[in-house]
């Protein structure tokens, strides 16, 4: 029986760890620091602005080419923030055009 309990706890830890990578953004803010986005994936309601804040020491260029939610913030200097409003309900791939490893997914819901 103790072996079963250990398995359940291990599975729960994996599930909880996976959930922390996806966030329902309460304050609608994504930070950029250490050449990473603060979330790997967020869920947001269609029409709600999402603010991208550059807390890093280098510029970033947040962009998306996902049809219906295309945007390009251009060079965003450290210390600045910019709002983006997603108008189509779908999965949106967001990248930094300067730092190719910076990627996140925005799930836009109705």
């Amino acid at each position: 029986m103790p072996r079963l309990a250990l398995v359940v706890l291990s599975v729960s830890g994996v599930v909880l760890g996976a959930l922390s990578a996806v966030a329902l953004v309460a304050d609608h803010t994504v930070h950029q620091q250490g050449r990473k986005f603060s979330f790997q994936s967020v869920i947001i309601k269609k029409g709600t602005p999402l603010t991208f804040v550059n807390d890093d020491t280098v510029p970033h260029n947040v962009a998306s080419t996902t049809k219906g939610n295309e945007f390009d913030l251009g060079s965003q200097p450290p210390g600045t923030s910019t709002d983006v409003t997603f108008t189509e309900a779908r999965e949106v791939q967001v990248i930094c055009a300067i730092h190719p490893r910076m990627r996140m997914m925005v799930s836009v819901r109705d």
Side-chain angles (χ1 to χ4, degrees), residues 43-81:
I43 300 169
I44 192 163
K45 187 174 178 179
K46 180 172 78 171
T48 303
L50 187 61
T51 303
F52 290 91
V53 179
N54 186 350
D55 294 320
D56 217 334
T57 58
V58 297
H60 291 289
N61 182 3
V62 180
S64 176
T65 58
T66 302
K67 187 175 179 175
N69 288 303
E70 301 93 342
F71 68 92
D72 185 340
L73 300 184
S75 183
Q76 188 181 27
T80 61
S81 65

Side-chain angles (χ1 to χ4, degrees), residues 21-22 25 34 38 43 55 76 82-83:
V22 177
V25 181
S38 56
I43 300 169
D55 294 320
Q76 188 181 27
T82 307
D83 291 342

Side-chain angles (χ1 to χ4, degrees), residues 34-49:
R35 295 185 180 151
K36 292 190 273 188
F37 291 112
S38 56
F39 301 104
Q40 293 176 350
S41 182
V42 297
I43 300 169
I44 192 163
K45 187 174 178 179
K46 180 172 78 171
T48 303

